[in-house]
Each structure stands twice: as C-alpha cells, then as structure tokens.
C-alpha cells in the first residue's frame, strides 16, 4: 500500500509533549528566537504525559525566597533516598532552578494553595507544596504551543535516525500519524527526547477488567529508553526500578496523608512495624537505615516483611486524622485532583475514611527517571559543577552527539517530578540551542535508502496481518503472527516471574535473570511476526517494541549489579546485602545496534555536596 511520506526539517526536534518536552519547547524559543522548533507528541500535548492525569502537589520545590530549603539540602535528600547513588551535579542543577519555574507556573494560572498563617505556599512536606492540579498540564502545554514553531500531535515516533556521514551523531527521527497513517521523517540539527518512562513492563496487580489500572500512566510505554537504546547511547541505573506504596486497588497517593495529615500506617495488629524492623534492616544495609527520612525503598521493605510474616493487611489509619471538615476536604481533594479511581474504590468497598482504615500495598515496578528513582541515559552535566567524568560539552547531552534528554530520559537525577522535569527540559534546550549555533555549518545528513527501509520496518506489522489474517483459526489466534496485547502479556509475565515482580515479592537471582533473558530473546524474535490490524494496533506494536528493549536493559543491569542496593524495590536473593565496597557505583550499558551485543560497565559516583558522611556510624 502506497503511503504518503512527509518530510519535516527543524533546528531542534522535541520528542514527547509531557513536562520535559514542554519545558524544552519553552526554553528553546527563549534562547533560539529564529530557530525552527518542532514538537512531536503521540497523543495531544493538551492532555499528554503523566501529569495529564492531574496532580495534587508539586513535589520538587525549594522555597529559597523564604529560606525554607537550599539546593544543597535537596541533593543530600535525594542522595540519601537513593542509598548514596545520584548524579549530584544533575540533581543540584535542577534544584537551583526549580523555584523560578514554579513561580512561572503560578503566573500562568496554576492555583497554588497558601498557608493562611504565613502567606507562603502550603507545604505538604519538606519539598512538596499543595496545588489544585486538575488543569496543570493544559496550563503548561499552552506555553509550549506558543513557543514551538510547529506542534505535531498524534505522531508515534518509532525510531531515531543517525547521521549517515558522521557516526554517533543524531539526525532526526521517523514515525507515523496514528489517525491517517502518513509516514513522517523529521530531520533535525539537535534532538531532545522527553518521552515517557515505562509502565506495564511488569504485570500489574490489577487484573481482569482492571488491567489498565496502574500508578504510572499506562500510556507511558518506555519510549524514553526504547528510542535511545538502539542509537548506542550509554544508559545507566536501569536496574533502579521504582515500587510505590499506595492505597490498595486504586493506586491512590499516600503523600498528603502521611506528610500533611500526619496519618500513620500499622500492621493488622495495630503495631508500628518500621521501628520493629530496624535491627534487621540495619544488618542488611548498614548506616543507610539511619538516614532521615528513612529511604523510600526501606519503608517498602519493612511493609513487605510484615506481609510475608502474615501480619497484614497493612492499614493507613485515615479515621484518626479526619477530625475536621477542612482535613476531610483535603483527603478527598488529594484523590479528586489526581486519582479519582481511588475514591471510586472506597465507594465500591463501603469504606468511609472517617470511619475505618484503608489498606496499603506496594505496586508493581516501573522504570522511570523522573520520580524517586533514576533510570535513563548517561548525560553530560552542567559546566560549572560537573566533575570531568560527567562533562563532555553540553548539559543534558547523551553520549550521542546532538541527542539531549529531559525528564524520564535522563538517568541519575532522581526526585525531579513534574516541576523538575520541566526544568530539565529547559536546561536541555538551552544547551541544545548552543549546540545548534556551534554546528551551523554541519546540517544533518539522512540516507534516503535507510529511510525507505525504516518505512518498511515501521509498517511491517500491518503487512504481517494483511498476509496472515485469512489463516485465523479461532478469533485472534493465528499461526503466522501474534497481536500486540498477546506480546505485552507475555512480556509482563516474563518480567514479573524472572526479573522481580509482585508475584515473586520482587525477588530475583542470576539463574532467574538468565532464564528471563532467554525468554526475552524469543519474544524479540517473535516481534518480527507481530500483526497489526489497524493504525491503533500499529501504535501498540511499537509501544511494545520500546518496552521489550527497555525490559532487556533492565534485566541486564539487574544481573550486572551483584548486590541488593534498594531492598523494597528489588532483591537479588544470591546477593542479599548492600555492598558499598564493590558497588558504590553507577551501572552503565551500551547496546551495539550492528552486532546486537551489550557492553556493561561501572561508572564513578562523585560527591560534590558535602554532608553525607556525617550519617555514617
């Protein structure tokens, strides 16, 4: 079938219209007044990305104007929560710029709640401020729309394109319109990837009619990594998957309840289990247990141990804190701003939070670089504070020339959340504009034959279906192809059972990981025979491909790190303890697209902010 091919040239191409991409569009225009800036999004930027679901808080805000926190404090917090392993230069860079971004959001119309006593923003916790966030994304998307030269909605980007003349330089991307099937070739002098991290790589706790219910956005399909890995970009911390403690079945947030409303969680007997588990955790991770607040993964670990010991369910005692009408409104607002499904679960299960407690549980793992973990690309840091090992010319540029990242894409910079992801987009854009200016005389070179081959690859699932559909023997069962949902369910099962999912209490080991790699290799082979009956299924097919690539990276990193650095996120049963002597390092990987081989490495951890050592015993 003949398809229209559309070529779009730009100075800066931004892939993904979430907060990282919107920040990149806004800042690209500020520094590149005359540049052509193109933003591409698979949905519509008005309501795309994780923040599109709504938020009840901004989780990364210093409050420097009131002397509440300083960037150095935030680095110490992120470093402690990640058990010593963060790129301090990247975290510091976001922390020192985030306040001005939040103030800008307020100017654009975001309602930020105020403390009536002080007049300052209403604090949920040390780093969090409360907002009415139902329209957070449309407010920010408007700024991006006004900044970009062109916005292309409904384009699924499937592959990045490398320069045909200069190895290891980016030249653009290809994709297709999910509504009319047009094939797009985006040629660009610099590319900023702000795509999403990965949900539904692991089998979710929600099954049957609730299968689409997850904590992290179900439309975040690991494209941040699935696009980068085939370019040979160096990745880091892909084993640092995140597991969230959330209200059971609805994945409702717990932050406001713990931090603002001061609710407590206990086991079924009403015991405060975290302090009871202190000696065992200390034996496992040493001085890290004494960090305040206790690292997120260790709080998960304590809960999991209680459940395994038969002391569950774990309960959040909402009924003990909703003693005023104002607090009750805050409790409900928290869900109605961002997780309406949790309020529905309460209604369906006859739970009145004023009368009875509500269950907590841990989620399935997610792969992301923007929340409390830091999977993603190994990136160059800011010139004024990045050590030499972390600096090769342009801030937030990956190891591929001209390829930048923000949000979930960049590894090592945990705890950026929404505001920090927007900031990182701004930082990447400022550097990308400089890169374009510095390389004005070197436009990208794209090989036409390579583009034709890519077009065949992109639409091959539809051809597989066209040829094989008449062989269907029972509904969707066909001898010559699998469909995207069958592939996704197979991926989730592999990752759940071999790479530390919920059914295994997050436990894995070398034999399990090696078997998982064998099964992932078979799934990769079978992807060549995936069938897509329409453009929607074609989008699902390429989302699956990005997830499969990411899953293999996660598995290889988990195999390489021979320790349990983050108990409560995952466990290496064959290496159950934290091992600072051998593993106080970042893990790195590079995929060779020519040979299909992976090269694993250890990358150095540098301290640029003092203070961590004081916690050692």
């Amino acid at each position: 079938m003949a398809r229209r091919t559309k070529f779009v040239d730009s100075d800066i191409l931004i892939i993904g219209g979430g907060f990282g991409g919107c920040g990149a569009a806004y800042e690209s225009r500020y520094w590149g007044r005359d540049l052509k800036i193109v933003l591409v999004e698979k949905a519509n930027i008005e309501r795309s990305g994780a923040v599109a679901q709504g938020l009840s808080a901004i989780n990364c805000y210093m409050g420097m104007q009131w002397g509440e926190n300083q960037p150095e404090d935030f680095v110490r917090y992120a470093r402690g929560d990640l058990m010593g392993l963060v790129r301090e230069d990247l975290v510091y860079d976001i922390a020192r710029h985030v306040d001005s971004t939040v103030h800008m959001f307020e100017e654009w119309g975001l309602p930020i709640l105020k403390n009536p006593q002080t007049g300052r923003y209403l604090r949920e916790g040390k780093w969090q401020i409360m907002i009415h966030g139902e329209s957070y994304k449309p407010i920010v998307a408007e700024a991006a729309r006004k900044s970009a030269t062109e916005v292309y909605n409904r384009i699924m980007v499937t592959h990045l394109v490398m320069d045909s003349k200069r190895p290891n330089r980016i030249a653009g991307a290809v994709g297709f319109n999910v509504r009319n099937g047009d094939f797009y070739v985006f040629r660009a002098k610099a590319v900023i990837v702000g795509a999403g991290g990965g949900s539904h790589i692991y089998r979710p706790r929600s099954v049957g009619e609730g299968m689409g219910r997850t904590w992290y956005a179900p439309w975040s399909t690991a494209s941040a990594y699935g696009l980068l890995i085939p370019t040979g970009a160096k990745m880091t911390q892909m084993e640092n998957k995140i597991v969230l403690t959330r209200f059971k079945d609805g994945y409702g947030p717990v932050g406001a309840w713990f931090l603002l409303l001061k609710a407590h969680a206990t086991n079924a007997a009403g015991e405060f289990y975290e302090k009871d588990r202190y000696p065992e955790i200390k034996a496992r991770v040493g001085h890290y247990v004494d960090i305040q607040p206790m690292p997120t993964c260790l709080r998960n670990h304590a809960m999991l141990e209680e459940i395994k010991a038969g002391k569950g369910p774990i309960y959040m005692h909402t009924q003990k804190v909703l003693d005023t009408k104002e607090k009750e409104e805050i409790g409900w607002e928290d869900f109605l701003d961002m997780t309406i499904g949790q309020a529905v679960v309460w209604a369906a299960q006859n739970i009145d939070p004023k009368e009875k407690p509500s269950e907590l549980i841990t989620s399935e793992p997610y792969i992301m670089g923007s929340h409390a973990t830091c999977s993603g690309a190994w990136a160059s840091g800011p010139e004024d504070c990045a050590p030499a090992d972390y600096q090769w010319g342009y801030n937030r540029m990956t190891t591929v020339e001209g390829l930048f990242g923000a949000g979930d894409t960049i590894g090592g910079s945990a705890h950026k959340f929404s505001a920090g992801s927007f900031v990182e987009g701004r930082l990447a854009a400022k550097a990308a504009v400089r890169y374009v200016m510095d390389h004005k005389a070197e436009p990208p070179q794209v090989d036409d034959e390579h583009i034709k081959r890519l077009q065949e690859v992109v639409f091959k699932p539809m051809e597989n279906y066209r040829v094989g559909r008449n062989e269907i023997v029972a509904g969707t069962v066909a001898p010559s192809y699998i469909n995207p949902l069958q592939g996704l369910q197979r991926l989730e099962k592999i990752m759940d059972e071999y790479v530390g999912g919920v059914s295994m209490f997050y436990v894995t080991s070398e034999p399990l990981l090696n078997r998982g790699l064998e099964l992932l290799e078979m799934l990769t082979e079978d992807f060549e025979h995936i069938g897509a009956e329409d453009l929607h299924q074609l989008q699902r097919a390429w989302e699956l491909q990005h997830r499969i690539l990411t899953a293999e990276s996660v598995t290889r990193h988990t195999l390489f790190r021979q320790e349990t650095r983050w108990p409560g996120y995952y466990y290496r049963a064959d290496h159950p303890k934290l091992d600072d002597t051998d593993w106080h390092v970042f893990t790195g990987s590079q995929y060779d697209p020519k040979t299909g081989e992976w090269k694993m490495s250890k990358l150095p951890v540098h301290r640029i902010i003092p203070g961590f050592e004081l916690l050692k015993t």
Side-chain angles (χ1 to χ4, degrees):
M1 174 183 174
R3 295 193 176 276
R4 287 185 299 182
T5 299
K6 297 191 173 183
F7 290 87
V8 179
D9 291 316
S10 64
D11 294 300
I12 295 177
L13 172 66
I14 301 164
I15 299 171
F19 262 53
C22 285
Y26 176 81
E27 198 74 8
S28 293
R29 177 59 66 215
Y30 184 87
W31 298 102
R33 293 290 178 186
D34 301 322
L35 297 185
K36 184 175 181 183
I37 299 153
V38 171
L39 190 153
V40 184
E41 162 60 44
K42 74 175 178 183
N44 186 305
I45 66 166
E46 192 76 14
R47 283 286 183 187
S48 64
V51 177
Q53 299 176 106
L55 283 181
S56 61
I58 288 175
N59 290 332
C60 180
Y61 178 74
M62 304 297 109
M64 287 187 281
Q65 63 177 327
W66 297 303
E68 291 178 335
N69 298 293
Q70 295 301 320
E72 292 83 356
D73 302 321
F74 192 71
V75 173
R76 294 185 189 102
Y77 163 64
R79 179 169 66 196
D81 197 53
L82 269 293
M83 312 291 278
L85 303 186
V86 291
R87 277 280 302 272
E88 296 190 14
D89 58 320
L90 301 181
V91 175
Y92 179 78
D93 201 20
I94 288 171
R96 64 181 171 177
H97 289 109
V98 75
D99 282 16
S100 60
T101 285
V102 172
H103 301 155
M104 197 162 64
F105 291 163
E106 188 175 32
E107 289 171 13
W108 293 347
L110 178 68
I112 303 179
L113 277 65
K114 302 294 195 299
N115 185 321
Q117 277 77 48
T118 65
R120 302 176 183 179
Y121 294 152
L122 179 63
R123 280 279 179 196
E124 177 184 290
K126 188 170 173 60
W127 309 106
Q128 300 85 1
I129 56 175
M130 300 295 290
I131 64 171
H132 288 302
E134 305 95 320
S135 298
Y136 193 10
K137 182 64 206 295
I139 288 168
V140 168
E142 182 182 6
R145 251 197 342 266
K146 289 176 176 176
S147 300
T149 311
E150 294 169 358
V151 174
Y152 288 84
N153 290 313
R154 305 294 173 190
I155 308 292
M156 172 72 195
V157 175
T158 59
H159 299 78
L160 295 178
V161 177
M162 303 297 284
D163 195 298
S164 60
K165 303 296 185 197
R166 290 179 287 271
N168 198 44
R169 184 180 168 184
I170 201 71
V174 298
F176 65 95
N177 186 302
V178 301
R179 294 290 166 81
N180 64 23
D182 289 348
F183 183 66
Y184 277 81
V185 181
F186 297 96
R187 296 176 295 211
K189 297 170 186 172
V191 175
I192 303 172
V193 176
S199 64
H200 281 287
I201 286 173
Y202 283 81
R203 186 162 50 195
R205 286 193 185 274
S206 299
V207 296
E209 71 276 10
M211 195 194 87
R213 190 77 195 102
T214 59
W215 166 76
Y216 189 45
W219 55 81
S220 290
T221 57
S223 295
Y225 318 122
L227 289 170
L228 261 67
I229 290 168
T231 69
K234 185 176 287 186
M235 308 299 289
T236 190
Q237 298 297 79
M238 295 301 288
E239 78 282 15
N240 184 210
K241 38 205 172 276
I242 188 168
V243 170
L244 292 305
T245 294
R246 288 294 180 263
F247 283 100
K248 195 170 185 298
D249 296 330
Y251 291 84
V254 298
W257 291 89
F258 275 133
L259 297 170
L260 185 63
L261 297 172
K262 309 300 183 192
H264 294 292
T266 70
N267 62 20
E271 297 164 339
F272 295 103
Y273 53 86
E274 282 185 10
K275 62 179 177 53
D276 296 338
R277 297 249 165 222
Y278 176 88
E280 180 266 327
I281 299 174
K282 178 101 172 174
R284 182 186 280 272
V285 302
H287 69 274
Y288 292 100
V289 73
D290 296 316
I291 291 170
Q292 294 298 323
M294 182 187 280
T296 308
C297 64
L298 298 185
R299 298 200 302 274
N300 283 357
H301 170 74
M303 175 188 291
L304 291 168
E305 291 300 302
E306 287 295 292
I307 293 170
K308 284 194 283 186
K311 295 183 178 181
I314 304 299
Y315 285 112
M316 167 84 80
H317 291 278
T318 57
Q319 80 284 9
K320 294 186 178 179
V321 297
L322 298 184
D323 52 6
T324 68
K325 190 172 187 329
E326 182 191 24
K327 288 181 181 177
E328 188 179 359
E329 285 178 1
I330 289 171
W332 282 100
E333 274 279 342
D334 190 38
F335 292 154
L336 297 176
D337 276 341
M338 60 190 292
T339 318
I340 293 172
Q342 189 63 52
V344 175
V345 169
W346 272 354
Q349 296 182 354
N350 295 333
I351 295 171
D352 182 341
K354 288 204 308 292
E355 305 296 333
K356 59 200 299 190
S358 197
E359 278 188 70
L360 300 181
I361 197 68
T362 50
S363 71
E364 69 276 8
Y366 305 98
I367 318 303
M368 58 193 309
S370 62
H371 202 269
T373 49
C374 47
S375 308
W378 188 245
S380 183
E383 291 176 354
D384 64 332
C385 64
D389 288 337
Y390 298 169
Q391 170 58 235
W392 50 90
Y394 298 90
N395 196 2
R396 268 39 177 217
M397 189 169 82
T398 69
T399 55
V400 174
E401 287 182 47
L403 178 59
F404 297 79
D408 279 323
T409 309
I410 297 299
S413 59
H415 287 276
K416 47 195 147 186
F417 304 101
S418 61
S421 294
F422 189 94
V423 168
E424 195 160 54
R426 295 179 70 184
L427 294 166
K430 184 177 181 181
V433 168
R434 191 156 62 86
Y435 176 86
V436 169
M437 301 293 195
D438 290 347
H439 296 81
K440 267 185 177 173
E442 306 163 27
Q445 302 294 313
V446 176
D447 178 41
D448 290 342
E449 286 304 311
H450 178 57
I451 295 298
K452 284 180 186 172
R453 288 194 299 273
L454 274 179
Q455 182 172 3
E456 288 175 13
V457 168
V458 167
F459 291 102
K460 187 182 175 188
M462 298 191 82
E463 182 66 11
N464 288 344
Y465 176 80
R466 188 186 69 80
V467 172
R469 65 186 171 181
N470 295 323
E471 296 176 309
I472 291 176
V473 293
T476 56
V477 178
S480 60
Y481 66 81
I482 61 172
N483 67 40
L485 181 58
Q486 290 164 339
L488 178 64
Q489 289 171 335
R490 202 162 123 200
L491 173 67
E492 289 179 345
K493 180 175 168 61
I494 292 167
M495 295 300 287
D496 180 63
E497 295 178 3
Y498 296 96
V499 197
V502 291
S503 73
M504 299 291 289
F505 270 99
Y506 313 103
V507 174
T508 187
S509 65
E510 184 174 343
L512 283 167
L513 291 162
N514 281 325
R515 177 60 179 153
L517 286 171
E518 289 176 11
L519 293 169
L520 285 171
E521 185 178 349
M522 292 179 210
L523 179 56
T524 301
E525 291 169 1
D526 287 348
F527 182 81
E528 295 299 314
H529 306 285
I530 200 163
E533 62 183 288
D534 54 30
L535 291 169
H536 181 73
Q537 291 303 309
L538 185 65
Q539 177 182 333
R540 292 286 177 256
W542 285 106
E543 289 174 339
L544 173 62
Q545 169 67 352
H546 292 169
R547 282 179 165 123
I548 293 171
L549 271 168
T550 302
E552 182 170 355
S553 177
V554 168
T555 306
R556 291 186 180 278
H557 276 253
T558 308
L559 179 63
F560 183 65
R561 181 180 283 283
Q562 295 180 339
E563 68 158 356
T564 299
R565 169 64 53 170
W566 301 282
Y569 290 164
Y570 77 93
Y571 302 85
R572 278 289 298 266
D574 45 353
H575 299 283
K577 290 192 174 183
L578 185 144
D579 176 7
D580 261 347
T581 304
D582 295 324
W583 288 101
H584 200 273
V585 292
F586 297 111
T587 57
S589 68
Q590 268 183 295
Y591 174 77
D592 187 332
K594 293 189 175 69
T595 65
E597 298 294 312
W598 295 74
K599 181 183 177 185
M600 306 302 299
S601 60
K602 292 182 177 182
L603 302 167
V605 174
H606 291 303
R607 295 269 170 265
I608 66 168
I609 303 296
F612 185 76
E613 288 69 26
L614 299 176
L615 293 167
K616 291 189 177 179
T617 54

